[in-house]
Amino acid sequence: MTNEGSYVALGLKEWKAQLDRADKLFGRLSSEEVLLEIAPGRNRLLYLWGHLTAMHDAMLPLLALGDRFHPEFDVAFVSNPDKSQAAILSHEQVRQAWKTVNGELWKGFEKMSWSDWLQRHTAVSEEDFAKDASRNRFAILLSRTNHLSYHLGQAVLALK
Amino acid sequence: MTNEGSYVALGLKEWKAQLDRADKLFGRLSSEEVLLEIAPGRNRLLYLWGHLTAMHDAMLPLLALGDRFHPEFDVAFVSNPDKSQAAILSHEQVRQAWKTVNGELWKGFEKMSWSDWLQRHTAVSEEDFAKDASRNRFAILLSRTNHLSYHLGQAVLALK
């Protein structure tokens, strides 16, 4: 493996490690448990799970890997707080979307070369990227992995 | 910058971003606030802050950057749960140690070349490293950044 490939592999390994933790935590929840709050009056596990799904779904166009599967998740889980919407997506819908989205992301990651990761992500213009080359796809991978860890730290509180 | 240097710079940028969030969150706490629990009956902010300080302190020998400054933090903040020790370190002791440890880490990071990051960390033997080269210093940087994010996600719950 080239040195460049080593760094990318490490970034992907950390993504995978956090995603595995999330799979274990969210995947085993009953229909009652998924409605538990992380602390009294705070977000429910279903909301966090849907929020992570929506953010991961949005990585597909951001990394130029394809269109989103579930743009409808944003109203329920990103642009509005938990318990503010009359209708929230179901446990089963979130579970399916989580699986689809992360599977598709991983397929995309596997096709990317190490140099692809240093290309600009699609939310930054060519002009801005010329001024700051750190706004690239590897930066998205690292920040989204940390975003996942951040909410995992909260999710465990509902269950312990 | 070489390509290798780009990945390292991105890893350091993400570390810095999460550390800045932690500085803002913990740095502004009053002596009363630092004793707030993240949720009823859970860890207090001072415990999380001390825990992160201890883990970051341990990165110094792990990355071959020098000896630890505060090994005494482990009894209070790593090997025992919160509220189990008669004497816990003070707000001021944690604040000072946090500053010292992270300052020293950053000084060390700045001296490391991109190839240093691909060397084995000191908790893995040469023999094991030969079998799995991913057990290197860059992996430690990524996993400790995620560890910081994990607890930041919890810490914000005490204050919102």
Side-chain angles (χ1 to χ4, degrees), chain B residues 22-63:
Chain B
D23 273 337
K24 280 205 189 91
L25 193 154
F26 292 114
R28 71 175 189 205
L29 298 175
S30 69
S31 308
E32 289 80 39
E33 285 172 327
V34 86
L35 299 176
L36 289 174
E37 294 171 330
I38 56 172
R42 302 304 175 92
N43 290 330
R44 293 171 296 177
L45 289 174
L46 184 61
Y47 183 84
L48 284 191
W49 198 6
H51 174 71
L52 289 167
T53 303
M55 296 296 286
H56 290 191
D57 191 35
M59 288 170 73
L60 289 165
L62 200 54
L63 300 176

Side-chain angles (χ1 to χ4, degrees), chain A residues 91-140:
Chain A
H91 185 185
E92 195 48 35
Q93 283 172 312
V94 173
R95 186 211 304 277
Q96 279 303 325
W98 170 257
K99 202 176 156 188
T100 304
V101 163
N102 289 303
E104 198 68 17
L105 269 180
W106 191 257
K107 269 197 273 176
F109 291 171
E110 289 189 314
K111 284 183 200 144
M112 288 172 73
S113 70
W114 64 257
S115 58
D116 287 338
W117 286 102
L118 295 183
Q119 302 305 304
R120 72 180 171 95
H121 62 72
T122 63
V124 65
S125 68
E126 288 193 37
E127 195 182 353
D128 287 342
F129 186 63
K131 288 177 209 152
D132 181 3
S134 77
R135 301 177 69 179
N136 59 34
R137 297 173 198 183
F138 196 63
I140 296 291

Side-chain angles (χ1 to χ4, degrees), chain A residues 3-4 7-8 10 13-14 21 42 114 118 134 136 138 143 145-146 149-150 153-154 156-157 160, chain B residues 3-4 7-8 10 13-14 21 42 114 118 134 136 138 143 145-146 149-150 153-154 156-157 160:
Chain A
N3 285 320
E4 292 93 339
Y7 295 105
V8 169
L10 291 162
K13 191 178 178 183
E14 186 66 28
R21 294 173 78 183
R42 302 304 175 91
W114 64 257
L118 295 183
S134 77
N136 59 34
F138 196 63
S143 72
T145 307
N146 277 278
S149 293
Y150 183 92
Q154 300 177 330
V156 294
L157 297 175
K160 261 192 249 174
Chain B
N3 286 320
E4 293 93 339
Y7 296 105
V8 169
L10 290 162
K13 192 179 175 180
E14 187 65 28
R21 293 173 76 185
R42 302 304 175 92
W114 64 258
L118 295 183
S134 76
N136 58 34
F138 196 63
S143 72
T145 307
N146 277 277
S149 294
Y150 182 92
Q154 300 177 330
V156 294
L157 296 175
K160 262 192 248 176

Side-chain angles (χ1 to χ4, degrees), chain B:
Chain B
M1 195 184 285
T2 61
N3 286 320
E4 293 93 339
S6 300
Y7 296 105
V8 169
L10 290 162
L12 291 175
K13 192 179 175 180
E14 187 65 28
W15 166 268
K16 190 75 165 51
Q18 302 305 328
L19 201 68
D20 284 349
R21 293 173 76 185
D23 273 337
K24 280 205 189 91
L25 193 154
F26 292 114
R28 71 175 189 205
L29 298 175
S30 69
S31 308
E32 289 80 39
E33 285 172 327
V34 86
L35 299 176
L36 289 174
E37 294 171 330
I38 56 172
R42 302 304 175 92
N43 290 330
R44 293 171 296 177
L45 289 174
L46 184 61
Y47 183 84
L48 284 191
W49 198 6
H51 174 71
L52 289 167
T53 303
M55 296 296 286
H56 290 191
D57 191 35
M59 288 170 73
L60 289 165
L62 200 54
L63 300 176
L65 296 173
D67 291 334
R68 293 187 61 166
F69 283 83
H70 295 287
E72 78 281 8
F73 269 49
D74 283 6
V75 174
F77 299 117
V78 180
S79 45
N80 291 293
D82 193 16
K83 300 166 221 167
S84 65
Q85 301 293 294
I88 193 173
L89 293 153
S90 74
H91 184 185
E92 194 49 34
Q93 283 171 312
V94 174
R95 186 212 303 277
Q96 279 301 325
W98 170 258
K99 201 176 155 185
T100 303
V101 162
N102 289 303
E104 198 69 15
L105 270 180
W106 191 257
K107 268 198 271 176
F109 291 171
E110 288 189 313
K111 284 181 199 143
M112 289 171 73
S113 70
W114 64 258
S115 59
D116 288 338
W117 286 102
L118 295 183
Q119 302 306 306
R120 74 181 169 95
H121 61 72
T122 63
V124 66
S125 69
E126 287 193 38
E127 195 182 354
D128 288 341
F129 185 63
K131 290 178 209 152
D132 181 2
S134 76
R135 302 176 70 178
N136 58 34
R137 298 174 197 182
F138 196 63
I140 296 291
L141 179 70
L142 298 186
S143 72
R144 289 306 180 279
T145 307
N146 277 277
H147 175 259
L148 176 53
S149 294
Y150 182 92
H151 290 302
L152 270 177
Q154 300 177 330
V156 294
L157 296 175
L159 298 170
K160 262 192 248 176

